[in-house]
Amino acid sequence: MSKLKSLAATLDSGHMYALSICLIGMSLFSYTNRFEFIHYETSTWVWIYAMTGACLILNFFMIQLPPEGNELSMDSSVYLACIFTFGTGFSLTVLLMNCLFFAIIDRNTSWWKHLTNFSIYCIMITVSAALFQYLGGNPGALVNTKLFTYLIVLTVYFAANTLLVGLYYYILYRGTLFETIKDIIKDSVFVFLCTLALSLVLTVLVYHNQILGLMLFMCLSVLLSQSFKKLFAMYRSIEDRANTDQRTGLYNHSYFEEVLEQEIQKSRSSGAPLSLAMIDLDDFKKYNDHFGHLQGDKLISFVGEMLKTESQKSGTVAARYGGEEFTLLMPGYDSLQARDYIDQLRKKLNNSSFDGVEIFPLGCLAFSAGIAACSLDIHDKSQLVDQADQALYYSKRQGKNTVHTYGMHSPLEQELDFSQDVRDIEQQLNLFMYKDMETFRHSKRVFRYAMDISELLDIDSISKRNFTLGALIHDIGKLEIPWNILNKKDKLAPEEWEMVKWHVTWGKKMALTNDKFKELAPYIELHHERYDGKGYPYGFKGEEIPRLCRMLTIIDSFDAMTTERPYQPTKSFEEAIIELRACAGSQFDPELTEFFIEYIETREHRTGDTAV
């Protein structure tokens, strides 16, 4: 009993699913085949061996599909031809013999996987054959008037295969069932169409030309398999050329953008750390001007080769970003690990010999690097690149040949930078004083709220800077709205309201024109998104909206409710708090709403005065 309990404890959901499939498959085999092969005549056994041999050969000559190189066997065409020509029992016997021989050949695969594979095929064959009989199909020659029946049988065979295999991967890897099945269909639909055509061809050849027909079919299948392999090799060759920078042998900018998006998605779904490094060769222009472009290209190639070698050792992805700039994408590296790794690379390059290094200020090759770690607040890959780029810029300002991590400025420098940034933004906001005084005042009030809240939230200094500056500039896009709409006393017409909604997109574009304010773009663009997904411009929902953007939405709405506006009555603080609570969970993040209300109530209790 204890051994049974121990065995049960080791079984996971994947094992239980496989066990269920095996029980169903074995039951269907026993009920349908009824071990009729015991009574086969010699001529029937000849065909059994011939069809089994065909299956084994097709399992060896598989079709390889781009882009991932997944391999699919065409043995299903043999099983379908057996159903169409000889019937269900014969088909299951061929399956049994094929699986037995294959298990003997492939001893590296565990027995239960062979049994599961056999059971899945049993289910597919039994269901398809039953449908064939139900639709009036009889084993024998191909009937021209029943082509639709053959197509239905193939579709059911394909659907059963996709569902059974898709469920297995869904249970094993906990992905999305729909996405899993969609991937399987996308990869294999063309092969299954080939399977249908080949099964019909085999049915005709076997019925009319016997063994000679089977041999012709095998020649056709093997040649098809070889053609797919050559096509796949050609695809990989073209793909490699398209993704590779010819000067350095590293991945190029396009491939970097593609893999960056994929790695960010993986990091979000798995919670694994991910870091990005931007690397720039120090004083490359000086070297290029002194020795010429050909020698400069050799230097780029030399550094690229070093990065390629080191990235292959460490499992990172190195790419040439452009000119003398490189990127290193580091899955599994947090910011500290990434900094240590990049610093080791920097020292290695410092110690590398190369012609002409004596003209560099330090007398050696050197690079500056900026590192940014992926976080939940990164909602777009360009944000991560911008952060790494800013860290690189900071590294250059520190005298080059250094590695800097985004968010690690000294407190004094942060304060000086912040004050200057506030002055720069206020110059932009002064335009509101002429066009819309209320928006100018609103921006200043929201900024003060954000300053207070940023002190209460557990966030780093860079997030504080971006949050408060984002609050100050969040309505900058309203400068593009015509004066008569911006100051209209009556309720806005639908087309006017649509124009007002564009201010988030216009504001984002304004922020992106200045490198210093690129990171404020999410606050400008997303402060009208709603927690329930009914906001604009994207309709993001819940945690798809960065946390501090959700907080800015609350502050923005609270200030709008408690100050005089041309088209809505003013609420008291108490009324506004009631309204916030009423909309918590729909318009606002409920947890952040309570946090903000607690701040407001504490402040009002302390000062005994109205807000700002």
Side-chain angles (χ1 to χ4, degrees), residues 37-201:
F37 52 83
I38 297 173
H39 308 291
Y40 284 162
E41 296 178 355
T42 304
S43 59
T44 307
W45 275 111
V46 170
W47 274 112
I48 292 288
Y49 287 133
M51 290 300 194
T52 302
C55 289
L56 289 170
I57 291 172
L58 290 178
N59 277 322
F60 182 75
F61 290 99
M62 295 182 121
I63 287 183
Q64 197 167 22
L65 298 172
E68 303 298 332
N70 295 330
E71 290 187 320
L72 289 177
S73 169
M74 301 293 287
D75 59 351
S76 288
S77 60
V78 177
Y79 296 134
L80 285 166
C82 289
I83 293 172
F84 299 149
T85 309
F86 300 103
T88 316
F90 182 93
S91 306
L92 290 175
T93 304
V94 172
L95 171 65
L96 176 65
M97 297 301 292
N98 179 43
C99 289
L100 286 174
F101 280 121
F102 197 73
I104 294 171
I105 296 169
D106 181 18
R107 295 181 185 175
N108 293 326
T109 304
S110 59
W111 64 269
W112 70 269
K113 288 184 179 178
H114 283 296
L115 183 60
T116 305
N117 188 51
F118 168 75
S119 302
I120 288 175
Y121 272 98
C122 270
I123 297 171
M124 291 157 53
I125 290 172
T126 307
V127 171
S128 304
L131 183 68
F132 183 60
Q133 292 174 6
Y134 177 77
L135 295 175
N138 291 310
L142 186 74
V143 181
N144 294 339
T145 56
K146 288 190 173 295
L147 286 179
F148 186 70
T149 298
Y150 296 117
L151 180 61
I152 293 292
V153 171
L154 186 277
T155 303
V156 170
Y157 185 90
F158 177 38
N161 176 271
T162 303
L163 186 62
L164 292 170
V165 175
L167 274 172
Y168 178 73
Y169 283 107
Y170 167 70
I171 291 170
L172 204 62
Y173 299 108
R174 295 295 176 191
T176 304
L177 180 59
F178 174 75
E179 292 296 328
T180 306
I181 289 178
K182 190 174 76 173
D183 289 343
I184 293 175
I185 293 175
K186 184 178 67 178
D187 285 348
S188 57
V189 68
F190 182 72
V191 172
F192 271 90
L193 288 175
C194 289
T195 302
L196 173 64
L198 288 175
S199 65
L200 297 181
V201 169

Side-chain angles (χ1 to χ4, degrees), residues 199-239:
S199 65
L200 297 181
V201 169
L202 182 58
T203 301
V204 173
L205 290 175
V206 166
Y207 189 82
H208 293 287
N209 300 91
Q210 308 291 305
I211 294 296
L212 176 62
L214 179 61
M215 291 174 64
L216 287 173
F217 170 80
M218 292 309 299
C219 288
L220 178 66
S221 300
V222 170
L223 289 174
L224 192 62
S225 168
Q226 294 304 303
S227 298
F228 265 91
K229 283 187 177 174
K230 287 188 177 179
L231 179 68
F232 179 72
M234 191 185 305
Y235 170 84
R236 274 293 163 86
S237 173
I238 293 171
E239 186 185 42

Side-chain angles (χ1 to χ4, degrees), residues 448-502:
R448 289 307 313 169
Y449 280 128
M451 286 284 286
D452 289 350
I453 291 291
S454 68
E455 293 299 322
L456 300 174
L457 290 170
D458 182 22
I459 54 178
D460 59 59
S461 57
I462 291 294
S463 297
K464 283 181 182 176
R465 174 220 180 242
N466 294 339
F467 177 53
T468 50
L469 292 180
L472 184 59
I473 202 175
H474 73 284
D475 271 340
I476 189 73
K478 286 186 176 177
L479 285 170
E480 293 293 313
I481 300 174
W483 188 91
N484 59 324
I485 296 177
L486 204 56
N487 293 277
K488 189 173 181 179
K489 301 297 181 186
D490 301 324
K491 190 173 182 179
L492 296 177
E495 62 275 13
E496 293 171 333
W497 178 237
E498 286 302 315
M499 180 174 286
V500 170
K501 287 163 72 174
W502 270 96

